[in-house]
């Protein structure tokens, strides 16, 4: 929708978030969390709260209104920073 440049920046954001996940896994965060019941429970409840938030927002969302005039509008320009942030947040917050 936003072109090759925005797609490339979004992919770089996703890749950076994957690198973040790999980095904390290699550093042993998983081992530390598995050894501490308090950290494990905190992470578990935070993830559950996030999933409930996503579900609540999805249930409250209104359907999009169909407007015939908007069918031929061009997509807006997406900045490199916006595309990167979108990709990073999408993968970084992936439960």
């Amino acid at each position: 929708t936003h072109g090759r440049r925005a797609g490339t920046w979004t992919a770089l954001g996703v890749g950076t978030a994957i690198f973040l996940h790999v980095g904390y896994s290699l550093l042993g965060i998983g081992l530390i969390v598995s050894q501490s019941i308090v950290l494990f429970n905190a992470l578990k409840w935070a993830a559950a709260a996030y999933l409930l938030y996503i579900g609540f927002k999805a249930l409250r969302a209104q359907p999009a209104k169909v407007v015939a005039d908007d069918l031929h509008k061009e997509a807006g320009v997406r900045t490199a920073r916006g595309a990167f942030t979108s990709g990073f947040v999408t993968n970084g917050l992936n439960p």
Side-chain angles (χ1 to χ4, degrees), residues 13-66:
V14 169
T16 304
I18 290 171
F19 183 71
L20 177 74
H21 292 309
V22 169
Y24 71 68
S25 295
L26 290 174
L27 292 174
I29 299 291
L31 179 64
I32 293 170
V33 169
S34 70
Q35 298 299 319
S36 171
I37 193 72
V38 174
L39 285 176
F40 177 73
N41 281 331
L43 184 62
K44 181 173 66 173
W45 285 106
Y50 177 66
L51 289 174
L52 286 172
Y53 169 76
I54 291 173
F56 181 72
K57 294 294 273 187
L59 290 173
R60 294 206 48 195
Q62 299 294 325
K65 295 180 181 175
V66 179

